[in-house]
């Protein structure tokens, strides 16, 4: 879109753009997969800016922009052209990942020992503080019940993943040094402590959003333990099904990596293998995973594919001499992997990145 008029364009040229039939400008807008291009579209003239505002009020009618690669240093690259975007992060903070368009930060030198917050870099002032304390984890008993929760609080944890369930409810995965991981939840800005519990199934409140969440029931609905050479990623499909992507790393270095997609059958408490994703594309990483519809992105995406990123996989399983890709595109139909294309660039080595959905 480099040839489009800027703010300095003569009025006669600008009026030419504004006189374009609404149906044509609509087609142009819907064919732009990049958020940056959509911003440029809105800057052409007030008529096109009005079109963007119209779609912002009807988010379901305009496909979401393609994701960016978040390199955690304030640098982002967008698909499919690899355009570089930069944001200035606060001093003494580390970016540990994201969920959709929210970034997870840890502040250094704070009390408690770790202080986390979520921030949307695309919206000024969009920040959600997260608790620095956590109740001692509750574990499931062998019979499926759970024990009595403890009243003691801990700061000896770090957050490995967050999920924004709603604007006032966050679920996170906490990692401990000498204990099993825990699934926790909180209300940002209102909860003073993470509420713990493995396999949280129901979270209740008084309906006003003013009190801290309460775990009313816990249940392990599907049992299954993948082998040690498998990484697993949970994704919600475009039809609201729970999918599990298994990234299988053969112990034999002569064999190729592969991926399997499973769908949760909650009634029968089992996983069923999915042969094809159809028109869906999955983006998976340790910090953020998402399903999108390929046909709604103007031919930039093809269905039945999985875009994957993992910055620790190669060294963890294969050592520093491993030659298998830690990022790429897996084609389910052919069981092959290709590099991620960023315009003229290709990302095919250990990426140290995560998906960011603007």
């Amino acid at each position: 879109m480099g040839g489009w008029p800027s703010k300095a364009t003569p009025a006669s040229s600008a009026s030419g753009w504004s006189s374009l039939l609404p149906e044509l400008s609509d087609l142009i807008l819907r064919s732009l997969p990049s958020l940056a291009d959509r911003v440029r579209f809105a800057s052409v003239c007030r008529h096109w800016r009005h079109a963007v505002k119209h779609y912002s009020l009807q988010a379901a009618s305009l496909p979401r922009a393609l994701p960016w690669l978040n390199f955690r240093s304030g640098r982002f690259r967008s698909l499919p052209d690899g355009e570089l975007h930069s944001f200035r992060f606060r001093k003494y903070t580390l970016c540990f990942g994201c969920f959709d368009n929210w970034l997870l930060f840890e502040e250094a030198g704070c009390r408690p020992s770790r202080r986390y917050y979520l921030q949307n870099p695309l919206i000024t002032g969009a920040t959600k503080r997260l608790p620095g304390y956590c109740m001692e984890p509750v574990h499931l008993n062998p019979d499926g019940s759970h024990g009595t929760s403890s009243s003691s609080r801990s700061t000896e944890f770090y957050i490995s993943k967050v999920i924004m369930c709603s604007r006032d409810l966050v679920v996170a995965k906490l990692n401990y040094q000498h204990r099993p991981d825990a699934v926790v939840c909180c209300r940002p800005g209102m909860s003073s402590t993470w509420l713990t519990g493995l396999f949280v199934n129901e979270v209740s409140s008084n309906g006003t959003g003013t009190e801290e969440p309460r775990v009313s029931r816990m249940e392990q609905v599907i049992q299954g333990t993948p082998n040690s050479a498998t990484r697993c990623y949970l994704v919600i499909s475009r039809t609201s099904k729970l999918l599990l992507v298994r990234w299988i790393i053969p112990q034999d270095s002569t064999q190729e990596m592969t991926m399997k997609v499973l769908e949760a059958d909650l009634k029968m408490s089992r996983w069923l293998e999915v042969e094809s994703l159809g028109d869906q594309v999955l983006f998976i990483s340790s910090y953020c995973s998402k399903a999108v519809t390929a046909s709604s992105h103007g031919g930039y995406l093809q269905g039945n594919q999985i875009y994957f990123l993992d910055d620790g996989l190669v060294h963890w399983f294969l050592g520093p001499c491993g030659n298998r890709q830690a990022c790429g595109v897996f084609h389910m139909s052919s069981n092959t992997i290709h590099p991620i294309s960023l315009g003229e660039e290709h990302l095919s080595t250990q990426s140290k990145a995560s998906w960011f959905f603007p």
Side-chain angles (χ1 to χ4, degrees), residues 12-80:
S12 58
S13 299
S15 62
W17 286 109
S18 62
S19 63
L20 193 67
L21 291 176
E23 293 80 3
L24 294 179
S25 61
D26 178 83
L27 289 175
I28 294 174
L29 176 59
R30 294 183 63 85
S31 67
L32 299 177
S34 168
L35 176 65
D37 285 342
R38 293 179 181 182
V39 172
R40 296 185 184 107
F41 178 98
S43 67
V44 172
C45 63
R46 63 184 182 88
H47 296 282
W48 288 25
R49 184 162 55 251
H50 174 75
V52 174
K53 290 183 178 180
H54 170 74
Y55 274 119
S56 68
L57 298 176
Q58 302 178 12
S61 62
L62 183 65
R64 293 194 63 170
L66 289 180
W68 295 356
L69 289 161
N70 167 25
F71 291 93
R72 307 184 194 175
S73 61
R75 294 172 53 251
F76 297 78
R77 289 198 178 274
S78 59
L79 295 179

Side-chain angles (χ1 to χ4, degrees), residues 219-344:
E219 180 182 354
Q220 183 173 354
V221 293
I222 299 181
Q223 295 184 355
T225 54
N227 59 53
S228 59
T230 300
R231 296 295 296 271
C232 296
Y233 306 85
L234 291 174
V235 191
I236 301 298
S237 74
R238 298 299 298 168
T239 57
S240 300
K241 301 291 186 180
L242 179 62
L243 302 180
L244 174 69
V245 180
R246 295 181 62 194
W247 187 352
I248 302 171
I249 314 297
Q251 301 290 356
D252 185 351
S253 60
T254 62
Q255 298 178 353
E256 298 295 329
M257 296 190 304
T258 188
M259 291 188 175
K260 299 291 184 181
V261 179
L262 309 174
E263 181 181 306
D265 182 350
L266 300 180
K267 292 183 178 180
M268 300 300 294
S269 299
R270 61 183 179 180
W271 292 103
L272 302 177
E273 185 169 350
V274 176
E275 297 294 335
S276 173
L277 294 171
D279 192 36
Q280 291 186 102
V281 180
L282 304 184
F283 291 86
I284 63 171
S285 68
S286 299
Y287 297 97
C288 186
S289 300
K290 195 176 186 67
V292 303
T293 304
S295 58
S296 64
H297 285 84
Y300 291 98
L301 296 177
Q302 296 182 7
N304 206 29
Q305 295 182 350
I306 303 173
Y307 283 70
F308 62 93
L309 297 170
D310 195 310
D311 59 10
L313 186 67
V314 171
H315 291 281
W316 180 260
F317 287 114
L318 305 174
C321 296
N323 58 359
R324 292 170 178 154
Q325 293 178 343
C327 58
V329 185
F330 179 78
H331 301 257
M332 289 190 64
S333 58
S334 59
N335 204 41
T336 57
I337 296 175
H338 294 92
I340 293 176
S341 176
L342 296 173
E344 297 180 354

Side-chain angles (χ1 to χ4, degrees), residues 87-138:
F87 294 101
R88 182 174 296 179
F89 294 164
R90 299 180 186 178
K91 290 184 178 181
Y92 312 114
T93 61
L94 298 174
C95 181
F96 275 88
C98 54
F99 178 77
D100 273 357
N101 50 9
W102 289 91
L103 300 177
L104 174 65
F105 291 94
E106 177 186 318
E107 292 179 319
C110 297
R111 295 292 180 182
S113 57
R114 287 187 174 90
R115 184 70 60 83
Y116 294 94
Y117 65 91
L118 293 168
Q119 188 174 56
N120 186 337
L122 302 175
I123 303 177
T124 303
T127 302
K128 295 181 180 293
R129 287 282 176 181
L130 301 178
Y133 298 92
C134 181
M135 303 299 293
E136 293 294 333
V138 180

